[in-house]
Amino acid sequence: MGRHSLPDEYAGEGSGDGSPPRRRRTVAIATMLVLAVAAGTAVAAQGGLLSFSKNCEDSAVHLSMMASPDIAPSIRAVADKARKDEVRSDGRCLYVTVVARDSYKVADTLSSDARTPDFQVWLPDSDLWVDRAKGSGDGVPITPGDSVASSPVTLAMVPSAARSLGWPKKKYSWAELTAAAMKSDKVRLGAADPARSATGLLALTSIGASSEKQGGDSDTRVAATAKLLAQRMSDGDNQVLETLAQSDSGAEQGNPERNQAVLLSEQAAFAHNAEATGGGKLDLFYPKDGTPLLNYPYTLVDESRMNTSESRAALRFMTLLNEPGAQDVLAKSGFRDVDGTAGESVVAPAGGRKPQPYATSAAAAPTAEALQQTLGLWTITVQSARLTTVVDASGSMATIVPGRNQSRMDVTKASLIQALNQFTPNDEIGLWEFATTLDGDKDYRKLVPATRLGDPAKGGSTHREKLAAAFAALKPVPGGATGLYDTMLAAYKDAQATYVKGKFNAVVILTDGSNQDSLSISRSALIAELKRIADPERPVPLLAIAVGPEADREEVNEIAKVTGGGGYQVIDPAEIQTVILQAIMTAGQSSHAAQE
């Protein structure tokens, strides 16, 4: 994400070598704020805003902020003190109302609802929520800024479990630590849902990256970890803390419903230990391959609707949060500086102790692609999938992909085979192909029925191997055109008719063009029919992927969204694997939210 600098007076100090650079305290505020900064003094003078004689209640600038529940109390304390001390922006008092709300809920609202929200500032616990809110491009515009605090993701254990793994002297990588916890009969490991918790997602992504470095079948190891975590999964970070053994008594430690270890932020452990006693306190393992950080980015929401006073007040509050007084408030609640550094006053109460590498440089932030892959893996691991994969076999799929010297079909097949490795034996996947008049008057042909990947197939192989061979055998049909609309409707109806309760049912359709069958159902009639037959009790989202520059993402999105799915665009077919996982994750979340 781009970051734009403020004047030097607002610049923060850089961090030392080996740690992530401390980002300047900036917000990429567009034309309105730029204009306000340039002409603010003149505007303030003309409007009398620099007069300090006005009563605060009469002249205050009011801002509303949604903040992650862990940091909301500290931000509220800073806001309340600013109000009490009559901190001003352009001579007007600064009144900020802070509301605690889960970051995933705000992200989902902003990404799917274009209505004007009732808050101007958002402080999630991680950049990943900002990326999710911006992902669809159809929601409320947001302007991400810089961090106001940080907290490393760790693995927390009750003392008896920590000692059984050699704490504090023994050091582990993420992969080694989770493997040790899974093997120990004294440790039950829990986590918050990675679809709702940045801590859970960052930890699972770190486990995956660490497993890859070990070599071998890392995907299987990560899937096994995900399966284990899913069995003891909590909705959110507060709920996962409630699963911990509350003391070292035999009844608590022996209770099968209690966990002895959880994936947790250092700050959450700090807050827990402040109230816990004896065996209920936590010890922290800091993996030696680096811990990712929750980074609390200060974010403006639909800043184009903010007036000059609100924009400048939002900037003033951001700089206030980075001033020493506010940073002291955050440190007393267990938060680290934005660059990830912290003293004993934060680490020791949280459960950290030397020689655990709590001062080691933070791990590099995972890429958006890595996070999407992990979340897609989590979705299909936790809730088995039943997918009908429908692949365009029109003649245009023979087009050579620039820079690859391979056809769209060849690159698509390779990506699909790679994506297949992310699915478990319990997932059910089938294959169709489509092009005009492919099967008599039909534009589509069923090649492989949707069956469990682990089921046996003829010749001593499995369904997974049979499906991979079918992917590899796909070929463009010379002269075949794109029979898209009839195929989408037929595949949707078939998936509805064969719906399996308890699985994530969906149709994944890949096309490199628009509908070219003049005798097919029209787009408007297709949308109307999909709306008519859609059944919220048996949801089957269409996940439509437009492949190549000629494909129309807006068209397939318009059709797919009426089923609870969506349209996606890939210019390079090699990206299909990642986009399939992203689409599954997004649709799975939407389906889950609709059921709440």
Side-chain angles (χ1 to χ4, degrees), residues 126-387:
S126 172
D127 274 333
L128 69 87
W129 303 118
V130 177
D131 290 338
R132 181 177 298 181
K134 295 173 68 175
S136 70
D138 299 325
V140 177
I142 58 176
T143 309
D146 289 336
S147 300
V148 301
S150 70
S151 187
V153 174
T154 67
L155 197 148
M157 291 190 184
V158 297
S160 59
R163 287 193 297 270
S164 73
L165 295 187
W167 184 89
K169 293 183 178 180
K170 191 164 184 180
K171 302 174 186 178
Y172 297 87
S173 68
W174 275 106
E176 293 167 346
L177 182 56
T178 51
M182 289 167 64
K183 291 177 182 177
S184 173
D185 58 0
K186 298 181 180 180
V187 179
R188 288 185 290 272
L189 177 61
D193 184 353
R196 300 179 173 195
S197 163
T199 299
L201 181 54
L202 289 169
L204 190 57
T205 304
S206 296
I207 293 167
S210 183
S211 294
E212 286 184 6
K213 294 177 182 177
Q214 288 187 327
D217 191 355
S218 62
D219 287 341
T220 300
R221 289 198 299 271
V222 177
T225 302
K227 283 288 189 186
L228 176 101
L229 292 175
Q231 294 170 17
R232 310 190 69 82
M233 181 184 73
S234 301
D235 281 348
D237 298 317
N238 287 335
Q239 290 84 352
V240 78
L241 278 166
E242 294 171 1
T243 70
L244 283 164
Q246 303 300 303
S247 70
D248 54 6
S249 69
E252 276 291 289
Q253 297 295 333
N255 185 342
E257 299 300 318
R258 293 296 191 186
N259 291 318
Q260 285 76 40
V262 291
L263 297 168
L264 204 64
S265 75
E266 180 185 74
Q267 190 280 331
F270 181 101
H272 173 87
N273 285 350
E275 298 182 1
T277 58
K281 288 184 179 291
L282 297 172
D283 297 325
L284 298 189
F285 281 96
Y286 296 79
K288 61 187 180 183
D289 43 359
T291 55
L293 293 175
L294 300 179
N295 66 327
Y296 304 92
Y298 189 95
T299 306
L300 296 189
V301 178
D302 198 3
E303 46 110 355
S304 63
R305 69 184 170 89
M306 297 167 65
N307 60 39
T308 300
S309 296
E310 290 172 336
S311 294
R312 290 175 62 81
L315 177 61
R316 177 69 184 96
F317 191 58
M318 184 192 69
T319 59
L320 180 65
L321 290 175
N322 279 283
E323 291 174 1
Q327 288 293 301
D328 287 344
V329 171
L330 290 164
K332 289 177 181 177
S333 296
F335 292 96
R336 294 192 177 200
D337 292 342
V338 296
D339 61 6
T341 60
E344 290 285 338
S345 61
V346 168
V347 175
R353 184 184 300 174
K354 293 179 180 178
Q356 283 298 309
Y358 57 76
T360 301
S361 297
T367 64
E369 179 181 2
L371 291 170
Q372 291 286 5
Q373 287 183 339
T374 300
L375 199 46
L377 173 65
W378 171 261
T379 301
I380 62 180
T381 299
V382 173
Q383 183 183 21
S384 294
R386 189 177 195 280
L387 307 178

Side-chain angles (χ1 to χ4, degrees), residues 392 394-399 408 434 482 510-514 545-552:
D392 191 342
S394 61
S396 57
M397 288 293 283
T399 303
R408 283 179 189 161
F434 71 99
T482 306
L510 298 97
T511 180
D512 73 343
S514 299
I545 302 175
V547 181
E550 292 85 18
D552 190 339

Side-chain angles (χ1 to χ4, degrees), residues 28-67:
I29 299 175
T31 305
M32 183 181 298
L33 184 55
V34 173
L35 182 61
V37 171
T41 303
V43 172
Q46 291 171 6
L49 300 183
L50 294 180
S51 171
F52 283 75
S53 62
K54 287 191 174 183
N55 182 280
C56 265
E57 293 291 341
D58 295 334
S59 65
V61 182
H62 293 265
L63 295 175
S64 180
M65 170 190 278
M66 291 291 175

Side-chain angles (χ1 to χ4, degrees), residues 412 510-511 545-549 551 553 568-580:
T412 296
L510 298 97
T511 180
I545 302 175
V547 181
R553 181 255 175 188
Y568 301 82
Q569 180 96 40
V570 295
I571 302 303
D572 185 343
E575 301 170 1
I576 287 172
Q577 175 201 9
T578 299
V579 174
I580 286 177

